[in-house]
């Protein structure tokens, strides 16, 4: 182990941008597909991994939604989430605020309750077994009709105490945040915290919309915000955290090279930026691999790396007491 990877693995971290369905490794995908009698176009684990070459967000989403079709019963969702929490804890993630996509399951006939019961049970057991704290965020698929998001919110109310927030993901271009203003307002009235993928593949205007119409407490990706100086100033002054996902952003070709991912730029501008893994089963690395890739490519100092892990706790929706405790722990490393 190099000095750098040793240092990164020792640091306590919060992961704030992680899709549970994006942690479905080919091994589990093929095993579940076999058990559930689902046909997938992969002959082997290697065959699946070889198919994971993307040219844009949509080409990734196509395989992601294909993969989730292998998950059917509550135990499948438990196994998926528990495996992620176990892996994350092994990389010193102490707090994970994770997304799931209810509509990716309900639209193919799987009950909302089946999905959330499995995930919730995994979160409770993982906290017991590994001491990792979890927060669950349900994301609306922005390329589905608003009426479907509204139905999903209704279904979630029965499990209100298990779900911390609402998010917005899937195909961004052509599906601006303003489309979801009313359903986010209703979610806020019910006490859900709001986040949204914005400026991932769409222009800075989408980030403005997420702030103004959805009143987001955090921006996911946000790469295109640098096109608009006044937006950057707004994000800095209002201390709106931004979750970046380096390996993902290169895998779907937003950036040619990991050194182009604007993590250092964000730090230098005073943005509360964190590093996260997004869909690690598809993009070649969990959180520590993302930290390592960026730290190496951008020549980050140990103090900058520490700042990012402190940012991750600061950006989380954990209690102030826990945040302060872990930020102090980072300083002890
Ligand atoms: N769903 C899973 N990962 C996603 C991403 N990075 N962007 C949009 N939707 C997603
Ligand atoms: Zn994402």
């Amino acid at each position: 182990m190099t000095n750098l990877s040793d240092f990164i693995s020792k640091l306590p971290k919060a992961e704030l941008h992680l899709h549970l369905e994006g942690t479905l490794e080919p091994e589990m995908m093929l095993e579940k597909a076999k058990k559930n009698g689902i046909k997938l176009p992969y002959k082997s684990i290697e065959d699946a991994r070889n198919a994971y070459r993307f040219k844009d967000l949509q080409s990734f989403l196509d395989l992601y939604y294909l993969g989730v079709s292998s998950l059917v019963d509550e135990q499948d969702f438990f196994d998926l989430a528990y495996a992620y929490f176990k892996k994350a804890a092994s990389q010193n993630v102490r707090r994970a605020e994770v997304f799931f996509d209810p509509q990716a399951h309900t639209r193919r006939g799987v009950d909302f309750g089946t999905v959330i019961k499995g995930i919730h049970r995994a979160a409770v057991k993982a906290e017991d077994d590994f001491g990792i704290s979890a927060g669950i965020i349900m994301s609306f698929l922005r390329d589905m009709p608003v009426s479907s998001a509204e139905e999903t919110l209704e279904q979630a109310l029965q499990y209100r105490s298990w779900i911390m927030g609402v998010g917005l993901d899937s195909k961004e271009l052509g599906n601006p945040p303003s489309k979801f203003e009313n359903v986010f307002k209703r979610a806020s009235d019910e006490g859900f915290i709001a986040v949204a993928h914005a400026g991932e593949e769409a222009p800075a205007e989408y980030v403005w919309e997420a702030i103004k119409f959805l009143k987001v407490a955090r921006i996911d990706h946000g790469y295109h915000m640098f096109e608009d100086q006044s937006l950057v100033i707004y994000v800095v002054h209002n201390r709106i955290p931004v979750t970046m996902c380096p390996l993902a952003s290169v895998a779907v070709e937003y950036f040619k090279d990991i050194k182009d991912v604007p993590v250092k730029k964000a730090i230098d501008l005073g943005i509360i930026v964190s590093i996260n893994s997004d869909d690690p089963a598809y993009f070649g690395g969990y959180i520590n691999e993302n930290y390592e890739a960026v730290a190496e490519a951008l020549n980050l100092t140990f103090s900058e790396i520490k700042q990012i892990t402190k940012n991750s706790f600061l950006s989380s929706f954990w209690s102030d007491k826990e945040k302060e405790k872990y930020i102090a722990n980072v300083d002890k490393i």
Side-chain angles (χ1 to χ4, degrees):
M1 202 183 271
T2 65
N3 264 350
L4 179 66
S5 67
D6 198 22
F7 176 70
I8 287 169
S9 58
K10 274 194 195 133
L11 285 169
K13 291 166 281 282
E15 173 138 76
L16 308 173
H17 186 153
L18 180 285
H19 302 261
L20 284 174
E21 293 89 344
T23 69
L24 180 59
E25 295 286 352
E27 288 81 353
M28 188 183 288
M29 179 175 68
L30 294 182
E31 176 205 311
K32 296 293 185 189
K34 189 168 173 202
K35 172 182 83 85
N36 293 320
I38 307 289
K39 276 220 161 342
L40 292 175
Y42 310 119
K43 290 193 202 69
S44 64
I45 290 163
E46 203 194 2
D47 198 21
R49 278 201 207 285
N50 285 338
Y52 295 174
R53 304 196 195 290
F54 313 111
K55 61 177 183 347
D56 53 18
L57 179 59
Q58 189 61 56
S59 61
F60 155 69
L61 290 170
D62 292 344
L63 294 197
Y64 170 90
Y65 293 126
L66 180 69
V68 304
S69 68
S70 64
L71 304 169
V72 174
D73 61 27
E74 190 190 314
Q75 189 63 33
D76 295 343
F77 291 96
F78 172 90
D79 290 343
L80 174 77
Y82 189 77
Y84 164 69
F85 290 127
K86 185 175 183 186
K87 174 77 182 175
S90 79
Q91 295 202 339
N92 235 339
V93 171
R94 301 297 172 83
R95 167 79 176 170
E97 296 178 359
V98 299
F99 300 121
F100 76 111
D101 288 334
Q103 291 151 292
H105 313 297
T106 53
R107 70 181 173 189
R108 57 189 176 85
V110 176
D111 250 24
F112 186 101
T114 300
V115 182
I116 190 63
K117 282 179 196 161
I119 293 173
H120 175 73
R121 188 157 57 85
V124 171
K125 184 161 168 52
E127 178 145 18
D128 264 8
D129 292 352
F130 314 121
I132 187 172
S133 159
I136 313 289
I137 301 174
M138 65 166 190
S139 290
F140 299 121
L141 299 189
R142 66 201 310 158
D143 46 1
M144 287 193 73
V146 172
S147 58
S148 171
E150 285 164 349
E151 278 163 31
T152 303
L153 181 57
E154 275 312 311
Q155 290 162 347
L157 294 179
Q158 206 185 323
Y159 305 97
R160 179 64 198 84
S161 64
W162 292 356
I163 304 170
M164 178 180 65
V166 292
L168 190 63
D169 66 2
S170 206
K171 177 73 189 154
E172 186 182 16
L173 266 174
N175 297 297
S178 50
K179 183 175 152 188
F180 294 91
E181 181 179 8
N182 289 342
V183 69
F184 268 68
K185 168 78 175 65
R186 167 113 172 78
S188 162
D189 292 344
E190 294 290 346
F192 292 97
I193 300 167
V195 300
H197 285 50
E200 180 183 14
E201 58 169 0
E205 186 52 32
Y206 280 50
V207 181
W208 273 127
E209 281 202 9
I211 294 169
K212 287 184 187 156
F213 293 111
L214 309 186
K215 315 253 183 287
V216 292
R218 214 157 59 200
I219 294 163
D220 296 314
H221 295 300
Y223 311 120
H224 284 265
M225 79 178 154
F226 299 100
E227 293 158 3
D228 182 338
Q229 189 64 25
S230 63
L231 173 58
V232 172
I233 292 169
Y234 188 93
V235 165
V236 172
H237 280 188
N238 290 281
R239 301 179 62 72
I240 304 175
V242 179
T243 65
M244 291 191 184
C245 308
L247 292 175
S249 68
V250 173
V252 295
E253 302 198 353
Y254 300 140
F255 302 106
K256 268 210 185 65
D257 194 282
I258 201 94
K259 70 174 177 345
D260 303 324
V261 183
V263 169
K264 171 97 168 99
K265 185 173 181 174
I267 298 173
D268 291 346
L269 285 164
I271 293 172
I272 305 172
V273 64
S274 60
I275 289 178
N276 307 272
S277 65
D278 206 0
D279 300 285
Y282 292 88
F283 298 141
Y286 284 76
I287 195 165
N288 284 357
E289 289 77 34
N290 273 273
Y291 268 84
E292 278 175 40
V294 172
E296 256 169 30
L298 298 179
N299 261 322
L300 297 184
T301 63
F302 279 15
S303 134
E304 285 167 332
I305 299 168
K306 275 188 173 181
Q307 185 58 52
I308 297 168
T309 60
K310 286 190 215 172
N311 286 351
S312 73
F313 290 108
L314 202 59
S315 308
S316 76
F317 304 136
W318 220 357
S319 70
D320 286 344
K321 192 168 154 234
E322 297 290 352
K323 287 186 195 189
E324 281 160 25
K325 175 173 140 193
Y326 281 99
I327 289 170
N329 283 351
V330 170
D331 273 329
K332 289 182 200 145
I333 305 280

